[in-house]
């Protein structure tokens, strides 16, 4: 058997101990269950996400808001027209060659 040492803040450790005890298992059993599930399913067995948008996403939101509030910004409802305009710009401006 291998030993693994992990660090948890005191409150999380206490609450995790309490949960494990309430379902009749030790902390060691809970981590073994987690590790075996990861190995068997080849994935983390729960969703990992952040409710806080990344700085890159926040910047994209700002850019989208700026475009949406620009009265001169052109929008499209027809993808063919949009592609036609993109290709037209690419033909006229070499730095945008497709």
């Amino acid at each position: 058997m291998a030993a693994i040492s992990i660090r948890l803040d005191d409150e999380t450790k206490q609450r995790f101990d309490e949960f494990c005890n309430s379902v009749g298992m030790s902390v060691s059993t809970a981590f073994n269950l987690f590790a075996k599930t990861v190995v068997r399913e080849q994935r983390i067995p729960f969703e990992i996400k952040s409710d806080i948008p990344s700085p890159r996403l926040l910047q994209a939101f700002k850019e989208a808001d700026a475009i949406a509030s620009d009265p001169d910004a052109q929008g499209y409802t027809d993808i063919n027209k949009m592609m036609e305009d993109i290709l037209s710009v690419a033909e006229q401006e070499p730095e945008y060659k497709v």
Side-chain angles (χ1 to χ4, degrees):
M1 279 279 190
I4 295 177
S5 175
I6 63 167
R7 295 186 186 275
L8 294 172
D9 64 79
D10 292 334
E11 181 184 352
T12 302
K13 182 187 181 303
Q14 179 184 350
R15 293 178 67 194
F16 190 62
D17 280 333
E18 290 170 2
F19 168 78
C20 289
N21 288 329
S22 75
V23 296
M25 74 172 73
S26 68
V27 169
S28 181
T29 299
F31 278 103
N32 271 288
L33 179 63
F34 169 76
K36 288 179 180 185
T37 302
V38 168
V39 169
R40 182 181 64 249
E41 296 182 8
Q42 292 295 293
R43 67 179 189 91
I44 302 295
F46 48 84
E47 182 177 3
I48 299 173
K49 68 177 189 169
S50 171
D51 293 334
I52 302 169
S54 69
R56 185 176 174 197
L57 183 57
L58 289 173
Q59 182 61 35
F61 288 154
K62 287 179 185 176
E63 290 174 16
D65 286 343
I67 291 168
S69 62
D70 181 353
D72 295 326
Q74 179 177 353
Y76 292 92
T77 57
D78 180 338
I79 194 165
N80 292 322
K81 174 65 176 143
M82 180 186 75
M83 289 305 299
E84 183 180 301
D85 288 353
I86 290 171
L87 293 173
S88 172
V89 169
E91 288 174 4
Q92 295 169 15
E93 301 181 31
E95 69 269 17
Y96 297 115
K97 276 289 184 204
V98 202

